Amino acid sequence: MAAIPALLPSTAFRDELRRRGGESAARCYQCATCSSVCELAPAARPFPRKQMLLAQWGMADQLAADPAVWLCHQCNDCTVRCPRDARPGDVLGAVRSLAIEKLAFPGFLGRLVGAARLTWPLLLALPVLFWVALLGLAGRLTPPAGLEAGWAYDALVPHSFIYGVFFPVAGWVILASWVAGRRFWTALGASGPRSGSFLANLMPALVEVATHKRFGSCGAARPRKLGHLTLLWGFVGAAVTSGLLIVGMYIQHLPMPLALDHPYKILGNVSAGLLIVGAAILVGNRLGDRKAAGASSAFDTFFLSVVVLVIATGMVVELARLAHAPAFALSSYILHLGFVMSLFLTFPYSKFAHMLYRTLAMVHARMAGLEKK
Amino acid sequence: MSAAPQQHPLLVVGAGISGITAALEAAEAGRKVVLVEREPYVGGRITRTHHYFPKMCPPSCGLEINTRRLERNANVRVCVNAEVTAARRTDTGWSVTLRHQPAYVNQRCTACGACTPVCPAEVPDPFNLGLGKVKAIRLAHGNAWPRRFTLDRAACPAGCRACVDACTYQAIDLDAQAQEETLEVGAVVVTTGWSPYPLDKLPELLGGMDQDVIANVHMERLASPGGPTAGKILRPSDGTAPRRVAFVQCAGSRDVNHLPYCSAVCCLASLKQAVYVKEQLPDAEVTIYYIDRRAPGRNEDVLTRVAAMEGVRLVKGKVGKIARTNGVLKLKVEDVERGVLSEAEADLVVLATGMVSNLKLQAPPFGVLLDEDGFGLPGHDLGLSVAGVARRPEDVAASVRDATGAAARAIAATGRRG
Amino acid sequence: MQRIGVFLCSGCGIGEALDVAALEKAAREEKAAHRAVHPCLCSPEGVATIRAAIDDGSVDGVLIAACSPRAKVEEFTFDPLKVAVERVPLREQAVWCQPPNHEDTQLLADDLLRMGIAKLAKMSLPVPFSAEISDTVLVVGGGVAGLEAARAAAAAGHPVVLVEASATLGGRMAGLTHLLPEGPPYDVLHPNRIAELLAKIQSDDRVTVYTSAKIQHIAGQPGQFAVTISTPQGERSFVAGAIVQATGARPYDASKLPHLGYGSSPNVITSAQLDEMLARGSLQRPGDGALPRRILFVQCAGSRDPQHLPYCSAECCGTTLRQVATIHQRHPDIETAVVYRDMRTPGQLERFYLAVQSQPNTLLTRGEVERVNGNGRGPLHVHLRESLLGNDVTLEADLVVLAVGMVPNAADGEAVRALHDAKVRAEKGDSETQRRDAAALAEQLAHHEGTEILHLEYRQGPDMPVLKYGFPDSHFICFPYETRRTGIYAAGTVRAPMDPPQAAEDGWGAAMKAIQCIEAAKRGAAVHPRAGDLGMPDFFLQRCTQCKRCTEECPFGTLNEDVKGTPQLNPLRCRRCGICMGACPERIISFPDYGVDRISAMIKAMSVPEEFEEKPRIVALMCENDALPALDQAAAQRQQWSPWIRVIPLRCLGSMNIVWIADALSRGIDGLLLVGCKSGDDYQCHYVRGSQLAQTRLGNVQETLTRLALEPARIKVVELSHHEFSRIPEIFNEFSAEIEGLGANPMKGF
């Protein structure tokens, strides 16, 4: 028999939930309309009705270990139909951000990003200042004199600097994600037995992510699927491009900068395009029907803003080079590098992390036989 | 207080069970009363009800006594086919204008029934909520009182006088005109009752889109001997007896997207209707999907009785979606106690739709204060009271209680006795 | 009546299906003073012919041989003090349900006509009644229902005496800091308006209030209740016209709920105790006087539980929401949780439920509280089963509030009476066994000792009869104030479980009925269900044998008894059902328009064919409230049935007197069909147990029949509900067939 020491959700938990836009959980009277209209809920372990109850009872640990929280794509069919306007979509969103913070390694970074409502200037400024400082020390805060047209950014910020900074950053991000991911995976394991191998189930899960099959069945927020999918592929494209560029530079010894019609270049620009479109759709969607879109907490907004900033500065950077404006190019390049770094560093702690947790939850769902029949 | 208002009659607007009660209680205390009803008969919603909970007795039994009280009491004047079109507060009460709809069938009608067979025009039966057809001229229903036929004039074929020729008592006048009348009344009791929440506002439950998804009010007609199936519970689509009947509670009620309030009677109505089904079709499986089982007071006995019945299940969980897939109705619902989703199959689905105050749809011109759902609020003016479901969602016993109290208020408003 | 006018209608197909001239001839044979045939008797012209005959004094009894007594009532109503009226339903009972122009149909119509005339001949006119009637309304109980009843009666101009047992007025409502919202937006508590109401009452010169007062004695009848009360200032006596009993309810005894920790821990209290705390403004844990940080409410504590209160008290969910909201208002940081089985917030209370749910530090959740553990020290542990979490859980709380249900403050008058009778029999019973059984019964009923509230001087007991679960409520959904003691009406939580706003409304309703009863008494008219009936019962006491059946069987306690057991009539208590008339073996009870001899006359007036004609004759005694309307509707649908049946309507099957059976059988009538309404727990009889009484009386004659070599099967009782009109042909035809099977009544021709 589970013993709940406190009578009620600890006030702390309630405040956390409220801060993240999940206070409406209190309005729920457990009619389960939400579960019955949810296209993603598995018959054996439906959601989000049960999660609303856990939220009311303040069972933070159960929620942090609950795959359902991540199987939810916040399409908000539930929120639209809820007879009590208890907004299950928002509540689960809030629970997710809470979980990201709870699982974060190290914890203080989780809390830092979790409090993006207050800390966002810091989170954006620090990386930028880092680059300013670094280049300052290297005496590279002004573009070298006598650049002719056709210069590449290597001339402003040598690749060594980029690799020097971003490889360690990436390493760190991978480490932090690994630790957090492990914690989550173990917690999931405690929530129910699993069978089959991780890898065997990872593949189909990834395919699902890549195709957004689940998202497709959502009703109320169809437009978001498109935006979300586009953004995803934008990121993938950007990552692939970066990889190809390294290959291009050091194996193929291609002349930099690449001509606009070079396939790598095209891929890069297409990815950028996807990112722009995706971000635009998501932003537009948030500004639209609030009920169907769900509430926007600072947590969501921060992540989306960083993405937008990265894309925006990226565009400016490219245009500045084409416009042969080295000084302007350098300053915007510094911003760009700063924002990219911010995006990387906050990955395990920002909403970005749902990429990790949702994928793991999907793998777990397959292994635990929680697949929707 | 002046004795003047004493001479003025009281006005009761709406002759459902509440209106009849308010009128009779005052009249039997010696007051003159005018009872106005827009339908051609008195009784309102209860005439369409098969049985009352918790006793499972026919409303016509009490209505028999009430109509007898009405026709034997010289103090009551009943005006059917009439509406209040204007009202003005005076220092002795109200000055109201009554509009009497054209009396195509007048007092001379003996209800002999000679006209109906010769009538060529058929219309969907309004009394049976559109289930089944009736002639344009007919007795509105088996217990209709006043016992006079009614003519749906709009349905008459051009130039047809078949009924007029068939009537030996000059009771039919196709050219009758509406008439206005002005009345001085001492006090007003508004008992305009309710209408069912429209099915077609619930498309996700196939409301109004599938013949076998009916409302609780339709179930009353199906079970009633005076109904379209002579009391046999049959699926509207194919006229067969359903083997699996599902009741969906709070279909529109307790829902901020529809009716934010609880309609107060639907739980007991469904429990009652579960009994109809089991008594007629002992092998039928009945499932009632609820949020809370609301059976206040001694009505708890009904819940206890039905819950113990073989083949009746009460499941906590609101049905979110109903679909017809390869010919079968499927209800998507989570059984909250077991925490599993199911796609339950049913042959007949009864949506427990709630009550909408008629004051919200069409309020008589007395300036009754309404809440945002159109329920009438008690003002400080004893000369204007609201009772029955026009006041709040409630069952018959409570409506009668409130209506009796309203009669007392009206009497108090018209001044102290000598 | 001496001068009977027979008015035959030939309309509605009567003229086409029957030989009306022959009927008129029959009327002449029956010595009708005046006879007329009209093609449409209910038309203004037709009615005028009747009025003319009445006005020129040529008739004092009008027989209308046309349609059912339920049709055209307004047209065929005349001054009841000037003329007696009888209706013969040729249309419904001959023309519509039988083949036209058939000898059997004609014979049936002929019988109906002769029966009607025979009955009318024996009828008399009601004697105008006049008596000193008091306008005063006595209200027993000064809670919200009583106060509103007093206010209502006074507002209608009646003097009111309000008697309250406790020292102060206002009852439970007086102790409340707030009330549930009664108006929009329905999401905040409303201030208690009781003070305002008390002011109204105290300032009303028509209302006399006695606190710390008790009823000592109530004798008499509506309009003339002689009331004696005891007050701190001594005895008071006065006359009241009608009585409202608003004695309220008390909380269920929580000490019967040890599993919920009541008694074992001072920190488990009832919602009533919490209200007291909140009223005092000192919310604290009784154990140590500290402010509780965590309060848990247990709904349905002892309610909806066959071991305790099987019913739902209807107000506990609202009360708890009110208390949770009040606590949150005063101490926002106190955590409250409510564990319910079903949250019951009908109507707009649903909005308040949502508002309370949305409060911080508040949790309302479904579950069954299995037990509460703990003592004065440390937190209480509340064990939940069937929480929606899917597993049992234990909650900690500093204070647990049990939302206990309500128990009516009513006495079971009939039980008290039974106890008293049993004690007497235990003393001086005839046999040893009788004394032993009586003693045992007295033992059983001992807990009713001294429970009297109204102290009525009624033969059937000192208080109102109670319904299931001890509420002196009405059994009728359509008529919630129909208690079984004329002129005494229950209001508020004593009548049924309800919340304060409902109780207030109930006060007005009961006051309305009280006022109405007084007005009826002034005219000597009956109240519901035969409202306005002016015919008073008449007892020919010289022939009374003190068998006490009438005093026992009257559903409304109309009759008292003197020491010898002779009935003492209180006509203003009478509801005119005639059950006493049916009970009386000496046939000494009658009404101006209803009596044993009237029905006997009808039975004697019908033709009884000779045996060899093989045409059985059957008499159907039918309840006029349910069975007769059903028959009318079957006829209106032109359903056909056996022509051998002669229908005699009764006010109630309970008014059936055995002598009619004897009369019928000795006349050679082959069968008797008794059609009454539904009996049993959910009885529909407007006079409580008419068909039941008829059954019992028949039981008593059955063996007499067998002794007379008459098959008991010749008499059949059927229960028919108002809506079961489609059963009429089947009932009639089946019984006809059964009688045919039995063959002719052996007593034929004797």
Side-chain angles (χ1 to χ4, degrees):
Chain A
M1 179 155 80
I4 318 299
L7 173 67
L8 272 194
S10 68
T11 323
F13 178 83
R14 278 181 165 248
D15 295 346
E16 283 303 319
L17 219 53
R18 184 176 295 102
R19 207 173 299 123
R20 292 171 159 81
E23 74 274 25
S24 52
R27 303 166 62 93
C28 170
Y29 59 20
Q30 292 285 298
C31 71
T33 305
C34 47
S35 303
S36 66
V37 300
C38 178
E39 294 295 343
L40 304 182
R45 294 268 292 276
F47 60 80
R49 194 269 311 161
K50 180 75 176 286
Q51 289 63 32
M52 293 293 279
L53 184 71
L54 293 172
Q56 286 185 327
W57 280 75
M59 298 186 158
D61 303 345
Q62 283 89 331
L63 284 168
D66 188 342
V69 169
W70 297 97
L71 297 178
C72 162
H73 285 46
Q74 196 164 7
C75 60
N76 286 322
D77 289 355
C78 50
T79 298
V80 171
R81 285 285 309 282
C82 175
R84 246 200 163 23
D85 195 23
R87 315 183 61 84
D90 296 351
V91 174
L92 261 63
V95 169
R96 278 190 292 272
S97 70
L98 203 56
I100 289 174
E101 183 177 320
K102 228 175 137 46
L103 296 161
F105 168 81
F108 79 91
L109 282 179
R111 287 189 292 280
L112 194 69
V113 182
R117 192 169 87 272
L118 307 167
T119 57
W120 65 270
L122 203 65
L123 299 174
L124 289 178
L126 277 181
V128 176
L129 293 178
F130 167 84
W131 279 103
V132 173
L134 182 67
L135 295 173
L137 291 174
R140 287 180 159 278
L141 277 179
T142 49
L147 283 176
E148 311 94 43
W151 55 268
Y153 271 97
D154 182 34
L156 304 181
V157 180
H159 290 131
S160 52
F161 281 54
I162 309 278
Y163 305 143
V165 172
F166 278 99
F167 281 132
V169 166
W172 160 256
V173 169
I174 291 167
L175 172 71
S177 311
W178 173 265
V179 176
R182 260 214 93 65
R183 287 177 177 168
F184 181 53
W185 187 252
T186 333
L188 284 182
S191 79
R194 285 189 287 240
S195 60
S197 85
F198 180 84
L199 286 177
N201 290 280
L202 180 61
M203 262 308 123
L206 287 178
V207 172
E208 214 177 275
V209 172
T211 54
H212 271 39
K213 190 165 112 278
R214 282 166 193 262
F215 222 140
S217 44
C218 290
R222 285 247 157 55
R224 261 185 57 240
K225 177 200 176 178
L226 181 60
H228 201 265
L229 188 58
T230 329
L231 204 56
L232 173 72
W233 281 106
F235 277 118
V236 174
V240 174
T241 317
S242 327
L244 289 174
L245 281 179
I246 295 172
V247 175
M249 282 187 294
Y250 303 100
I251 296 160
Q252 300 171 279
H253 302 292
L254 300 171
M256 293 289 149
L258 295 170
L260 282 174
D261 57 0
H262 188 283
Y264 295 176
K265 194 64 171 182
I266 294 172
L267 176 62
N269 286 329
V270 170
S271 315
L274 290 174
L275 288 169
I276 296 165
V277 175
I281 295 178
L282 291 187
V283 173
N285 183 258
R286 284 201 176 278
L287 302 176
D289 173 0
R290 185 174 171 280
K291 197 164 190 179
S296 306
S297 68
F299 188 76
D300 308 340
T301 324
F302 172 75
F303 170 58
L304 201 52
S305 316
V306 181
V307 174
V308 171
L309 286 170
V310 168
I311 297 163
T313 48
M315 285 162 61
V316 175
V317 164
E318 184 167 13
L319 297 174
R321 183 174 61 74
L322 296 175
H324 185 47
F328 178 63
L330 178 55
S331 46
S332 40
Y333 193 43
I334 292 175
L335 283 178
H336 183 61
L337 292 172
F339 294 151
V340 172
M341 191 162 154
S342 169
L343 183 66
F344 274 35
L345 284 172
T346 56
F347 171 87
Y349 319 112
S350 75
K351 190 174 183 186
F352 210 164
H354 75 279
M355 232 171 153
L356 167 68
Y357 295 120
R358 179 167 292 154
T359 315
L360 287 174
M362 286 178 170
V363 178
H364 170 83
R366 297 180 164 278
M367 294 169 68
L370 296 181
E371 274 313 276
K372 179 165 163 52
K373 307 284 172 302
Chain B
M1 259 193 235
S2 70
Q6 274 276 349
Q7 279 78 47
H8 290 325
L10 311 174
L11 176 69
V12 178
V13 183
I17 186 64
S18 302
I20 292 176
T21 304
L24 281 171
E25 299 305 344
E28 288 178 4
R31 295 306 179 94
K32 293 249 175 280
V33 181
V34 178
L35 176 59
V36 175
E37 169 58 47
R38 68 179 172 193
E39 294 292 320
Y41 54 88
V42 303
R45 291 280 156 199
I46 65 154
T47 56
R48 292 189 174 91
T49 305
H50 176 43
H51 281 344
Y52 284 142
F53 57 79
K55 266 177 75 179
M56 306 305 286
C57 55
S60 57
C61 164
L63 196 56
E64 175 73 22
I65 296 290
N66 279 330
T67 50
R68 195 183 300 166
R69 288 165 77 191
L70 281 174
E71 60 197 357
R72 280 167 173 67
N73 193 319
N75 287 338
V76 200
R77 175 183 165 209
V78 180
C79 305
V80 291
N81 296 314
E83 280 178 275
V84 178
T85 52
R88 182 171 51 80
R89 200 78 169 87
T90 67
D91 52 0
T92 58
W94 296 83
S95 172
V96 299
T97 310
L98 282 190
R99 180 190 160 84
H100 300 273
Q101 301 307 336
Y104 299 115
V105 181
N106 61 38
Q107 187 95 34
R108 301 180 73 102
C109 171
T110 66
C112 70
C115 49
T116 302
V118 302
C119 176
E122 277 204 328
V123 294
D125 186 352
F127 182 76
N128 283 327
L129 306 161
L131 304 163
K133 287 194 167 300
V134 282
K135 292 295 186 71
I137 191 162
R138 61 188 184 268
L139 191 62
H141 64 90
N143 289 310
W145 189 91
R147 205 156 184 79
R148 204 178 305 156
F149 275 45
T150 178
L151 171 61
D152 179 349
R153 187 73 175 84
C156 293
C160 172
R161 300 185 56 79
C163 55
V164 181
D165 303 339
C167 181
T168 21
Y169 312 109
Q170 301 82 44
I172 304 171
D173 172 9
L174 297 178
D175 309 317
Q177 297 301 314
Q179 283 170 0
E180 292 228 325
E181 171 186 13
T182 309
L183 277 176
E184 295 298 314
V185 300
V188 174
V189 179
V190 175
T191 50
T192 45
W194 59 282
S195 299
Y197 188 66
L199 270 186
D200 53 25
K201 294 201 173 184
L202 303 162
E204 60 278 354
L205 302 179
L206 293 184
M209 297 158 74
D210 190 294
Q211 280 187 294
D212 296 337
V213 177
I214 61 174
N216 43 13
V217 285
H218 296 113
M219 184 52 129
E220 292 297 328
R221 297 318 302 143
L222 289 183
S224 174
T229 55
K232 291 200 166 45
I233 297 171
L234 304 171
R235 310 206 304 173
S237 64
D238 59 4
T240 60
R243 286 174 300 106
R244 299 161 302 184
V245 182
F247 290 88
V248 178
Q249 296 311 108
C250 299
S253 299
R254 300 182 69 187
D255 186 336
V256 294
N257 306 310
H258 298 277
L259 306 174
Y261 51 88
C262 161
S263 290
V265 300
C266 325
C267 280
L268 284 151
S270 293
L271 290 165
K272 174 186 76 173
Q273 294 179 349
V275 176
Y276 299 168
V277 174
K278 292 303 284 184
E279 280 179 351
Q280 248 187 58
L281 310 163
D283 303 336
E285 295 167 19
V286 173
T287 315
I288 301 176
Y289 297 98
Y290 67 90
I291 303 173
D292 288 289
R293 296 155 296 187
R294 294 186 165 177
R298 276 160 301 167
N299 290 326
E300 182 73 16
D301 292 352
V302 183
L303 174 57
T304 316
R305 172 185 172 197
V306 174
M309 279 182 158
E310 184 71 24
V312 178
R313 280 173 60 238
L314 285 106
V315 177
K316 178 169 168 70
K318 186 169 175 179
V319 176
K321 239 183 237 155
I322 301 179
R324 198 182 265 281
T325 35
N326 36 51
V328 188
L329 286 169
K330 292 213 166 101
L331 289 72
K332 191 123 176 289
V333 59
E334 179 186 1
D335 177 336
V336 172
E337 279 157 334
R338 289 170 45 239
V340 293
L341 268 180
S342 70
E343 286 217 326
E345 299 192 342
D347 307 314
L348 182 65
V349 175
V350 182
L351 302 183
T353 52
M355 304 194 284
V356 181
S357 166
N358 283 339
L359 288 175
K360 181 169 193 170
L361 309 173
Q362 185 202 358
F366 298 102
V368 180
L369 291 101
L370 303 181
D371 69 16
E372 64 187 273
D373 298 305
F375 292 104
L377 300 166
H380 291 295
D381 178 0
L382 287 176
L384 175 63
S385 40
V386 190
V389 179
R391 166 77 183 89
R392 61 169 79 85
E394 59 188 0
D395 64 14
V396 169
S399 298
V400 172
R401 176 199 67 213
D402 291 1
T404 311
R409 285 190 172 80
I411 286 177
T414 51
R416 300 185 161 186
R417 27 196 303 290
Chain C
M1 311 311 302
Q2 287 79 40
R3 302 185 305 287
I4 291 175
V6 173
F7 297 85
L8 285 150
C9 180
S10 62
C12 288
I14 296 172
E16 292 77 58
L18 296 171
D19 177 349
V20 177
L23 292 175
E24 195 189 353
K25 190 158 150 292
R28 199 179 300 116
E29 290 166 17
E30 298 294 336
K31 316 216 171 14
H34 178 105
R35 297 167 308 277
V37 180
H38 195 281
C40 181
L41 196 58
C42 61
S43 64
E45 305 76 24
V47 174
T49 61
I50 304 175
R51 292 206 174 280
I54 296 170
D55 297 341
D56 67 24
S58 55
V59 303
D60 60 1
V62 169
L63 185 94
I64 295 161
C67 44
S68 158
R70 296 173 60 254
K72 292 288 173 183
V73 174
E74 276 162 290
E75 285 81 351
F76 295 137
T77 300
F78 310 97
D79 180 351
L81 297 175
K82 271 181 75 182
V83 60
V85 178
E86 175 68 7
R87 305 273 304 264
V88 172
L90 293 178
R91 185 175 76 165
E92 284 78 4
Q93 291 183 26
V95 174
W96 279 357
C97 60
Q98 303 296 332
N101 304 311
H102 186 287
E103 61 170 298
D104 289 345
T105 311
Q106 185 68 28
L107 189 54
L108 168 59
D110 188 81
D111 278 353
L112 289 173
L113 186 73
R114 293 176 192 273
M115 289 156 69
I117 295 172
K119 180 181 179 195
L120 187 54
K122 292 223 179 270
M123 295 211 287
S124 59
L125 295 176
V127 189
F129 172 93
S130 75
E132 187 59 30
I133 296 300
S134 162
D135 274 326
T136 304
V137 174
L138 166 65
V139 177
V140 185
V144 62
L147 290 169
E148 293 282 3
R151 178 182 160 203
H158 287 260
V160 176
V161 178
L162 177 57
V163 177
E164 165 59 41
S166 73
T168 55
L169 293 178
R172 271 172 51 249
M173 197 167 146
L176 305 185
T177 57
H178 293 84
L179 299 179
L180 290 166
E182 289 176 49
Y186 303 102
D187 58 2
V188 285
L189 289 170
H190 285 195
N192 193 342
R193 51 179 172 72
I194 190 81
E196 181 188 329
L197 178 56
L198 287 170
K200 273 206 187 73
I201 293 296
Q202 272 135 1
S203 65
D204 194 318
D205 54 358
R206 289 172 187 259
V207 184
T208 316
V209 178
Y210 294 105
T211 50
S212 312
K214 279 199 155 39
I215 304 285
Q216 276 196 335
H217 190 68
I218 297 177
Q221 57 183 340
Q224 304 172 334
F225 287 115
V227 184
T228 309
I229 62 172
S230 64
T231 77
Q233 301 77 32
E235 264 193 14
R236 295 277 186 285
S237 291
F238 55 91
V239 177
I243 301 166
V244 173
Q245 180 179 356
T247 45
R250 58 188 181 279
Y252 183 68
D253 176 7
S255 63
K256 293 180 184 160
L257 307 168
H259 64 291
L260 296 180
Y262 193 86
S264 55
S265 166
N267 299 334
V268 178
I269 61 173
T270 65
S271 34
Q273 288 170 290
L274 178 59
D275 271 331
E276 287 161 22
M277 275 193 198
L278 293 172
R280 284 202 310 274
S282 64
L283 176 60
Q284 52 182 226
R285 192 164 51 177
D288 58 5
L291 183 72
R293 287 178 306 107
R294 301 169 302 180
I295 307 177
L296 185 136
F297 293 80
V298 180
Q299 296 309 102
C300 297
S303 295
R304 303 176 60 188
D305 176 347
Q307 307 306 315
H308 300 281
L309 302 180
Y311 54 89
C312 157
S313 287
E315 59 116 41
C316 322
C317 285
T319 297
T320 295
L321 291 176
R322 172 174 55 76
Q323 293 176 333
V324 169
T326 311
I327 291 169
H328 182 71
Q329 237 177 36
R330 296 187 189 173
H331 311 278
D333 47 0
I334 289 184
E335 297 178 352
T336 51
V338 179
V339 181
Y340 61 82
R341 285 155 72 193
D342 293 284
M343 201 64 197
R344 291 181 170 177
T345 51
Q348 295 291 21
L349 197 53
E350 184 70 19
R351 288 174 178 269
F352 189 65
Y353 169 26
L354 175 56
V356 171
Q357 225 185 347
S358 317
Q359 285 172 186
N361 295 338
T362 310
L363 171 70
L364 290 97
T365 191
R366 190 172 194 247
E368 294 267 355
V369 174
E370 193 174 37
R371 62 185 193 285
V372 178
N373 295 350
N375 45 35
R377 300 170 310 287
L380 297 152
H381 289 94
V382 182
H383 303 286
L384 257 65
R385 276 187 306 103
E386 289 159 36
S387 79
L388 294 178
L389 292 167
N391 53 358
D392 297 1
V393 294
T394 301
L395 291 169
E396 269 186 18
D398 306 325
L399 183 67
V400 166
V401 182
L402 306 181
V404 295
M406 59 173 76
V407 181
N409 290 325
D412 181 342
E414 288 173 321
V416 176
R417 161 76 199 204
L419 170 62
H420 171 262
D421 288 359
K423 279 164 136 185
V424 172
R425 258 181 288 117
E427 284 295 313
K428 32 180 144 42
D430 312 338
S431 71
E432 177 49 42
T433 50
Q434 195 192 47
R435 283 194 292 278
R436 201 179 335 97
D437 299 351
L441 179 60
E443 188 53 43
Q444 264 176 44
L445 297 169
H447 64 282
H448 290 284
E449 186 72 65
T451 54
E452 296 88 336
I453 293 175
L454 294 181
H455 296 273
L456 299 171
E457 194 185 83
Y458 274 49
R459 188 249 177 263
Q460 291 182 2
D463 277 276
M464 286 197 278
V466 296
L467 272 191
K468 205 172 177 187
Y469 309 137
F471 294 87
D473 194 2
S474 155
H475 185 64
F476 305 102
I477 291 145
C478 321
F479 311 109
Y481 295 105
E482 284 318 311
T483 56
R484 284 171 51 195
R485 294 293 177 262
T486 310
I488 309 177
Y489 303 96
T493 49
V494 69
R495 181 171 77 78
M498 61 180 82
D499 63 11
Q502 289 173 311
E505 209 52 49
D506 215 31
W508 281 82
M512 177 71 248
K513 298 301 291 189
I515 294 166
Q516 189 185 83
C517 179
I518 289 170
E519 295 302 322
K522 288 177 181 170
R523 291 176 290 124
V527 294
H528 185 93
R530 294 188 60 83
D533 186 338
L534 296 172
M536 290 284 188
D538 172 34
F539 285 63
F540 186 69
L541 290 176
Q542 288 89 321
R543 291 223 323 271
C544 173
T545 59
Q546 287 94 19
C547 72
K548 298 183 185 176
R549 285 185 200 154
C550 55
T551 58
E552 291 279 358
E553 290 186 5
C554 173
F556 305 103
T558 300
L559 302 154
N560 282 8
E561 276 167 21
D562 66 10
V563 280
K564 300 212 310 297
T566 316
Q568 297 171 312
L569 176 61
N570 299 279
L572 292 172
R573 294 183 194 166
C574 175
R575 310 277 270 268
R576 324 292 203 258
C577 58
I579 283 178
C580 52
M581 180 187 106
C584 181
E586 297 301 313
R587 286 163 283 154
I588 66 167
I589 307 169
S590 66
F591 300 80
D593 54 346
Y594 193 49
V596 178
D597 59 342
R598 326 282 198 275
I599 306 299
S600 296
M602 290 173 91
I603 292 170
K604 296 197 177 83
M606 71 182 67
S607 63
V608 180
E610 291 310 318
E611 194 171 357
F612 55 79
E613 282 181 40
E614 289 172 348
K615 282 193 178 166
R617 183 64 73 241
I618 295 166
V619 169
L621 301 172
M622 297 178 80
C623 159
E624 69 179 13
N625 304 305
D626 293 70
L628 204 64
L631 180 141
D632 277 356
Q633 200 171 342
Q637 294 185 346
R638 309 298 197 271
Q639 303 197 32
Q640 306 289 300
W641 53 75
S642 160
W644 303 332
I645 293 173
R646 305 290 180 261
V647 171
I648 297 177
L650 302 185
R651 287 185 183 180
C652 173
L653 206 59
S655 67
M656 191 265 313
N657 191 301
I658 289 303
V659 73
W660 299 335
I661 311 266
D663 290 350
L665 293 173
S666 58
R667 272 212 72 207
I669 285 165
D670 305 279
L672 282 116
L673 187 59
L674 278 55
V675 192
C677 58
K678 289 257 184 294
S679 61
D681 286 351
D682 289 332
Y683 63 84
Q684 290 167 26
C685 179
H686 296 286
Y687 307 103
V688 185
R689 45 177 194 276
S691 19
Q692 227 168 303
L693 289 168
Q695 292 272 20
T696 346
R697 288 179 203 151
L698 277 179
N700 306 340
V701 291
Q702 289 293 11
E703 40 79 52
T704 341
L705 293 181
T706 4
R707 199 161 359 92
L708 295 167
L710 279 169
E711 308 80 347
R714 289 191 184 277
I715 308 173
K716 183 179 188 180
V717 184
V718 179
E719 289 189 356
L720 187 74
S721 188
H722 190 284
H723 67 294
E724 298 177 304
F725 53 90
S726 49
R727 284 180 55 205
I728 290 275
E730 142 208 337
I731 291 169
F732 282 5
N733 296 339
E734 269 175 21
F735 189 60
S736 304
E738 286 160 26
I739 292 303
E740 226 176 341
L742 287 174
N745 173 352
M747 322 222 354
K748 263 193 209 292
F750 284 100

